[in-house]
Amino acid sequence: MSGGLAALLDDVAALARMAAASVDDVGAAAGRASAKAAGVVVDDTAVTPRYVTGFTADRELPMIRKIALGSLRNKLVIILPAILLLSQFLPRALTPILMVGGVYLSFEGAEKIWEKVSGHHPAKEETPASAQGPDQEKAMVSGAIRTDFILSAEIMVISLNEVAEEGLLARAVILVVVGIAITALVYGVVALIVKMDDVGLHLTRRPSESARRVGDLLVRGMPKLLAVLSTVGMIAMLWVGGHILLVGADELGWHGPYALVHHAEEAVHGVPGVGGVLAWLVNTLASAVIGVVVGAVVVGVLHLLPKRKGAEQH
């Protein structure tokens, strides 16, 4: 009897060790996948704060929570099942679908440039955006979730490529872990960014002189930081969109553009000390230029179509 119990305990211990090893493997694979998607995570973090700019402080965190839940829904309910099925049965379709997202991101970034250059900005209200009614808040949240969808798709596809050799179930588990972890990271940082001015205001009321100075610096600096992040977000959309198109074209057989970029990278890679950084800058600049060109074409078409329709009606 005792021998049978000992054997059973040995079997349980062996199963526990196997389960622990599996968890470690999933964690390691999720870590590798997340690291590869880190660039897009930065872009997602930079893009989001502009959607809550102009709203009253009491609505910022609820809006971020709604956007975060929408992002999680994008990743786990829509994107994850779709890319798992495509990777299993039609893997070649992933690249063209991702390139459509690249065009959308390029358009979003180029339109922001067009607004700055042409002066055709959306009408600004003197009152906070939230005072315009719940429809305005809903529209901003929906816009943020739509933009997040493209970035989330990029994150999940990059992550999928890193674990493509795993089995279907393992891929699903790893991507769930990546999706939850990255969403928590991105929107946790976004929440800290947009609430930093409130933290500064609290510090200005502390008795400590140094705390008041830090608080004053935060209060005065946060509007500038949000403006900078808005610009970074615009550039990030062009960069990521262009990079998706550059890599996608190469994967579909049009090797010329990426070959030129690769040769330019090699030309500067040998510079002592900064070669790696220069190569990255070349790739980033080339991607951004492609994003600007493609986005400008889409913006031009969309701005010309209404004029042509108006002319035809007259």
Side-chain angles (χ1 to χ4, degrees), residues 174-303:
I174 291 166
L175 290 177
V176 167
V177 172
V178 169
I180 293 173
I182 285 181
T183 302
L185 173 64
V186 167
Y187 291 99
V189 171
V190 169
L192 286 174
I193 289 172
V194 301
K195 298 305 291 182
M196 198 59 69
D197 54 347
D198 293 336
V199 173
L201 185 61
H202 175 73
L203 289 175
T204 59
R205 297 167 180 165
R206 298 288 295 273
S208 169
E209 178 67 24
S210 58
R212 290 199 300 271
R213 287 179 181 175
V214 171
D216 184 60
L217 181 64
L218 289 174
V219 169
R220 288 186 298 169
M222 286 313 297
K224 296 178 182 178
L225 176 60
L226 288 173
V228 169
L229 283 174
S230 179
T231 302
V232 169
M234 176 185 69
I235 296 170
M237 285 188 285
L238 293 168
W239 166 29
V240 176
H243 189 70
I244 291 172
L245 295 172
L246 183 64
V247 174
D250 186 66
E251 291 179 357
L252 292 178
W254 187 22
H255 303 299
Y258 210 174
L260 288 174
V261 175
H262 186 63
H263 289 320
E265 287 181 89
E266 288 183 335
V268 299
H269 198 275
V271 177
V274 295
V277 174
L278 291 177
W280 178 84
L281 287 174
V282 166
N283 189 295
T284 299
L285 180 60
S287 298
V289 169
I290 291 171
V292 169
V293 171
V294 173
V297 170
V298 178
V299 168
V301 170
L302 292 179
H303 279 272

Side-chain angles (χ1 to χ4, degrees), residues 79-231:
I79 297 169
L80 177 59
I83 65 174
L84 283 176
L85 287 172
L86 287 173
S87 68
Q88 192 73 14
F89 301 109
L90 197 60
R92 292 187 178 181
L94 285 173
T95 297
I97 292 172
L98 202 55
M99 290 178 73
V100 172
V103 172
Y104 176 77
L105 284 176
S106 299
F107 158 70
E108 282 272 293
E111 189 169 48
K112 297 301 176 186
I113 294 178
W114 166 253
E115 289 173 358
K116 290 180 180 293
V117 171
S118 66
H120 290 89
H121 299 283
K124 292 185 178 180
E125 301 287 340
E126 294 297 326
T127 55
S130 59
Q132 299 173 32
D135 288 343
Q136 175 68 11
E137 180 177 317
K138 184 178 179 180
M140 294 302 288
V141 170
S142 298
I145 293 173
R146 281 196 303 272
T147 300
D148 171 272
F149 184 90
I150 307 300
L151 294 172
S152 290
E154 174 75 348
I155 288 168
M156 297 298 277
V157 171
I158 290 173
S159 302
L160 177 64
N161 289 338
E162 286 302 300
V163 295
E165 302 304 318
E166 302 286 342
L168 181 61
L169 181 58
R171 269 180 280 159
V173 172
I174 291 166
L175 290 177
V176 167
V177 172
V178 169
I180 293 173
I182 285 181
T183 302
L185 173 64
V186 167
Y187 291 99
V189 171
V190 169
L192 286 174
I193 289 172
V194 301
K195 298 305 291 182
M196 198 59 69
D197 54 347
D198 293 336
V199 173
L201 185 61
H202 175 73
L203 289 175
T204 59
R205 297 167 180 165
R206 298 288 295 273
S208 169
E209 178 67 24
S210 58
R212 290 199 300 271
R213 287 179 181 175
V214 171
D216 184 60
L217 181 64
L218 289 174
V219 169
R220 288 186 298 169
M222 286 313 297
K224 296 178 182 178
L225 176 60
L226 288 173
V228 169
L229 283 174
S230 179
T231 302

